[in-house]
Amino acid sequence: FRYIHMNGASMFFIVVYIHIFRGLYYGSFKSPRELLWILGVIILLLMMATAFMGYVLPWGQMSFWGATVITNLFSAFPFGEGIVHWLWGGFAVDNPTLNRFFALHYLFPFLIVGVSMLHLVALHQFGSNNPLGIERKGPEDSIPFHPYYTIKDTFGLSIFLLIYCGFIFFAPNFFGEPDNYIPANPLVTPPHIVPEWYFLPFYAILRSIPNKLLGVLAMFGAVGTLFLVPWLDTHPVRSSRFRPYHRWLFWLFVIDCFVLGWVGANPPEGMFILIGRGATLYYFAHFFLFLPALSRLEPIMALPLSISRPIMEEAPK
């Protein structure tokens, strides 16, 4: 059951990250679906908080020192020491911290369910986006939910469960850190503190900036930037299928995220510091420089007249 729970968190993040990248590729954040996108980013933040507090609960070396490092980040802000002591429930990471994190780790999923319901309500307000990025023109542009989507989703779920069960039964510790099986010891600092893999890109951004306050702001800003995407990418064409320059830029961004994850998994020394700084600079340049520039400069290609038109034209006569 512990392996199901632990690997379930990783599977959850894999699916959500794929969902986010797909939304960025097909322009699902664009008007009139800004609220849908914002609620999705809120779900991501709640997931991160839930996963972080859950990682502390096994009370291993990585759990203890990860909690110590991350909670100490709040000390970079004004009056941060008081916030840190409030999070700890004392003057160090100890039993009160564990009790608080256990309670919050149990309660936060209910918040995630609630915001997910709002996410679905916002989705049904304007309907789903599609790979062509154009709105539905009539009944010929849609198909019944059953049997088409039920079969598709059942097939997708079956493939997902096969992969999920493969990790549970044959590689249950693939996503974990071996040091976390060592009981927590506040007197012994691990040589290299590594968070779970889904936090590694943000951890790399934190470490790439030598100033503590700026590093913390950049780490939180890396997630906060996603809230602004609908107003940073204002190109009238949604889908990257009709935006060749944006398509190249998107794949460079995906590579940059993988590079940040690789840097975060390695010690902050030598070439990893330089690569991390370059990847961090590109991360923010992608959103604040390249997307606004492409919104103005990329040519507007002709779009299909309807969703069904390209399908009907390609169908055998």
Side-chain angles (χ1 to χ4, degrees), residues 228-305:
L228 304 176
V229 173
W231 296 278
L232 295 173
D233 183 358
T234 55
H235 196 276
V237 177
R238 282 200 190 102
S239 176
S240 291
R241 289 180 65 168
F242 303 101
R243 297 181 63 189
Y245 301 138
H246 182 269
R247 187 161 59 240
W248 280 103
L249 197 69
F250 169 82
W251 289 113
L252 285 174
F253 176 70
V254 172
I255 293 168
D256 184 65
C257 290
F258 276 102
V259 169
L260 282 170
W262 172 64
V263 169
N266 287 281
E269 57 192 27
M271 67 170 186
F272 295 116
I273 295 176
L274 295 176
I275 295 172
R277 287 175 182 171
T280 299
L281 183 64
Y282 184 86
Y283 182 95
F284 288 103
H286 173 84
F287 290 109
F288 292 104
L289 184 62
F290 299 138
L291 286 185
L294 279 188
S295 297
R296 294 182 173 218
L297 302 176
E298 188 168 22
I300 300 173
M301 293 178 64
L303 300 177
L305 296 176

Side-chain angles (χ1 to χ4, degrees), residues 30-310:
K30 289 179 181 284
S31 177
R33 298 178 178 86
E34 299 95 337
L35 179 61
L36 177 67
W37 176 262
I38 288 169
L39 288 169
V41 178
I42 291 172
I43 292 171
L44 175 65
L45 284 171
L46 289 172
M47 282 174 57
M48 288 178 162
T50 307
F52 165 66
M53 288 181 287
Y55 191 53
V56 175
L57 301 185
W59 212 236
Q61 274 290 72
M62 284 297 153
S63 299
F64 177 85
W65 288 101
T68 302
V69 169
I70 299 301
T71 52
N72 262 312
L73 295 178
F74 290 95
S75 65
F77 298 109
F79 310 107
E81 291 293 338
I83 298 171
V84 173
H85 292 159
W86 177 77
L87 287 170
W88 286 347
F91 297 99
V93 175
D94 209 336
N95 252 9
T97 318
L98 195 60
N99 289 333
R100 287 173 180 218
F101 280 19
F102 177 79
L104 291 171
H105 183 68
Y106 169 76
L107 292 171
F108 265 51
F110 292 101
L111 282 177
I112 293 173
V113 170
V115 181
S116 297
M117 294 295 181
L118 294 175
H119 193 59
L120 287 172
V121 170
L123 173 68
H124 284 281
Q125 189 71 28
F126 298 103
S128 300
N129 188 27
N130 56 78
L132 295 179
I134 59 178
E135 297 296 340
R136 191 175 64 177
K137 300 294 192 300
E140 68 278 0
D141 282 351
S142 60
I143 55 176
F145 189 85
H146 179 77
Y148 296 101
Y149 281 95
T150 47
I151 294 298
K152 178 184 76 73
D153 290 348
T154 303
F155 176 75
L157 180 63
S158 302
I159 299 298
F160 168 79
L161 288 175
L162 281 173
I163 297 169
Y164 181 24
C165 291
F167 280 110
I168 291 169
F169 294 114
F170 299 104
N173 292 301
F174 181 83
F175 295 107
E177 188 65 33
D179 282 6
N180 213 33
Y181 281 101
I182 302 170
N185 186 349
L187 301 178
V188 179
T189 308
H192 179 38
I193 298 171
V194 184
E196 286 282 65
W197 68 267
Y198 35 79
F199 293 138
L200 289 176
F202 307 104
Y203 190 54
I205 291 172
L206 169 70
R207 297 186 316 182
S208 67
I209 300 174
N211 182 280
K212 183 178 179 181
L213 177 58
L214 292 179
V216 173
L217 290 174
M219 183 184 72
F220 288 118
V223 183
T225 299
L226 295 175
F227 284 106
L228 304 176
V229 173
W231 296 278
L232 295 173
D233 183 358
T234 55
H235 196 276
V237 177
R238 282 200 190 102
S239 176
S240 291
R241 289 180 65 168
F242 303 101
R243 297 181 63 189
Y245 301 138
H246 182 269
R247 187 161 59 240
W248 280 103
L249 197 69
F250 169 82
W251 289 113
L252 285 174
F253 176 70
V254 172
I255 293 168
D256 184 65
C257 290
F258 276 102
V259 169
L260 282 170
W262 172 64
V263 169
N266 287 281
E269 57 192 27
M271 67 170 186
F272 295 116
I273 295 176
L274 295 176
I275 295 172
R277 287 175 182 171
T280 299
L281 183 64
Y282 184 86
Y283 182 95
F284 288 103
H286 173 84
F287 290 109
F288 292 104
L289 184 62
F290 299 138
L291 286 185
L294 279 188
S295 297
R296 294 182 173 218
L297 302 176
E298 188 168 22
I300 300 173
M301 293 178 64
L303 300 177
L305 296 176
S306 68
I307 297 172
S308 60
R309 190 76 173 266

